[in-house]
Amino acid sequence: MEKIVVEVGSTCTKVDKYDGEKIIHLKTLPIEFKKNFKIANKLNSSDVEKLIELVNSLKEYEDIFVCGTSVFRQLNECEKLAFLNLFKEETGLEFNIISQEQENEYTVKGATKFVKEALVFVGGGGSTEISYYSDGIKEMKNNKFGVMDILNVFPDLAEDTATTDLQTIMDYIEERIEVPDIKTDIMILAGGGHEYFARESGVTYEKNTLYDDPCETIMMDIETRIKDTQKYYTEISLDEIRSRVEEPAWWYATRAMCAFVLVVAKKIGAKYIVPTDISMIYGIV
């Protein structure tokens, strides 16, 4: 039986389908829950309406699992109850608020099926989960800090080319992020969209020769990633990318995400980066 997973994040809502054998990404809809939450310290009614409309458009499927992360954890009990009741009333479905630990565990489970040891980086709009995996999660650091927090301070990162230099962004992140105190060669990027970014952005990648996983087919060495990230800040046009992709709004936070990746890679001494499109659904199903 087909299963639909709707993952509602701080800035993007992802819809994926599991057909019993493979996971197929159906769509990504930008809904800026966190940005609008910060303005009024409550969920924006228009954002909630967009989500309900999206979920109701999927009613051709019988098995739909809807879950939310970052911003939904910040609701007080009264707001949470009101939102959950409204969502159930309008869609007939439960809305599952996933803890940061659950979000991380689901994603790490999906990302480490064929590797013995790695650091798994799960980046999002309002949170960043980082786990050291070695035949199980050995250490986990959950940060209530994500790419939208960077864009709020450095909005130029979403422009055609950035005016703030990469090192300034990395220094800002390094002062605020917690990372497992370990060293490991492989850093897997998960949480959705990293492989898509690599293939569409112009950064250099090659076939993953570290291990064989049908969902983790490309990689790059750390020196290449550093060089290409610098190029992504100063030479590559975001407007050009946004003009040719189906989801242009998704790209606004990509420079911030690239800086997060380099900060964590530096701290753990990573030699290789494995970008994937793996998200919670890989662990959920």
Side-chain angles (χ1 to χ4, degrees):
M1 178 183 289
E2 294 179 327
K3 182 180 185 67
I4 297 293
V5 175
V6 181
E7 182 181 333
V8 189
S10 294
T11 56
C12 289
T13 295
K14 300 188 287 281
V15 182
D16 295 289
K17 179 174 73 172
Y18 178 62
D19 65 5
E21 295 182 357
K22 60 184 180 298
I23 293 168
I24 304 162
H25 179 63
L26 298 183
K27 67 175 72 175
T28 299
L29 179 66
I31 307 178
E32 298 195 48
F33 278 105
K34 181 165 185 175
K35 178 181 177 181
N36 295 327
F37 181 87
K38 281 194 167 186
I39 294 172
N41 201 33
K42 64 180 182 179
L43 292 178
N44 180 282
S45 59
S46 177
D47 291 341
V48 174
E49 289 171 10
K50 288 179 186 176
L51 174 61
I52 289 171
E53 182 179 354
L54 171 65
V55 171
N56 283 334
S57 74
L58 301 169
K59 287 304 181 66
E60 64 186 278
Y61 301 100
E62 293 183 10
D63 189 356
I64 303 174
F65 179 81
V66 186
C67 58
T69 57
S70 183
V71 69
F72 298 96
R73 303 174 191 134
Q74 301 175 35
L75 301 177
N76 63 43
E77 286 304 313
C78 182
E79 292 171 326
K80 184 187 300 182
L81 184 61
F83 166 70
L84 294 178
N85 287 340
L86 174 65
F87 186 84
K88 178 67 178 290
E89 180 181 320
E90 294 292 330
T91 67
L93 298 171
E94 302 290 342
F95 187 96
N96 300 275
I97 298 177
I98 304 295
S99 71
Q100 204 168 12
E101 291 75 19
Q102 287 174 311
E103 179 180 5
N104 194 41
E105 288 168 3
Y106 281 139
T107 310
V108 171
K109 186 176 182 179
T112 55
K113 290 173 65 177
F114 299 99
V115 64
K116 291 184 177 180
E117 180 187 17
L119 191 286
V120 181
F121 169 95
V122 182
S127 63
T128 306
E129 293 81 40
I130 306 168
S131 298
Y132 172 58
Y133 176 89
S134 179
D135 293 322
I137 297 176
K138 303 302 183 185
E139 187 177 353
M140 179 190 304
K141 295 292 184 180
N142 294 327
N143 297 268
K144 294 181 173 63
F145 174 64
V147 292
M148 290 308 298
D149 298 289
I150 299 299
L151 283 181
N152 288 336
V153 181
F154 304 100
D156 65 283
L157 297 187
E159 296 174 3
D160 185 31
T161 55
T163 54
T164 305
D165 67 276
L166 173 60
Q167 191 59 53
T168 297
I169 305 300
M170 290 179 62
D171 290 344
Y172 185 86
I173 295 169
E174 190 165 3
E175 292 173 359
R176 291 161 175 79
I177 198 167
E178 291 188 34
V179 176
D181 185 19
I182 56 92
K183 299 294 181 183
T184 190
D185 289 348
I186 301 172
M187 179 172 168
I188 300 172
L189 310 183
H194 294 281
E195 180 178 348
Y196 167 66
F197 167 79
R199 293 187 182 276
E200 295 290 340
S201 65
V203 304
T204 306
Y205 59 87
E206 59 185 295
K207 184 181 187 303
N208 184 1
T209 58
L210 301 170
Y211 53 92
D212 187 18
D213 186 329
C215 295
E216 303 180 24
T217 59
I218 65 173
M219 59 176 263
M220 66 276 297
D221 62 77
I222 187 62
E223 290 81 11
T224 296
R225 183 73 183 213
I226 293 170
K227 175 175 64 69
D228 283 356
T229 300
Q230 186 65 57
K231 182 179 177 182
Y232 193 59
Y233 267 64
T234 59
E235 298 179 33
I236 293 176
S237 165
L238 268 189
D239 287 349
E240 187 279 325
I241 295 173
R242 289 187 286 234
S243 71
R244 59 177 166 80
V245 297
E246 293 183 0
E247 300 163 355
W250 182 88
W251 288 82
Y252 282 87
T254 51
R255 286 199 182 104
M257 186 65 78
C258 286
F260 266 97
V261 169
L262 290 190
V263 169
V264 176
K266 174 185 174 183
K267 283 181 173 290
I268 66 166
K271 296 178 181 178
Y272 305 100
I273 304 292
V274 179
T276 81
D277 288 340
I278 289 173
S279 56
M280 280 199 296
I281 184 174
Y282 287 78
I284 289 171
V285 302

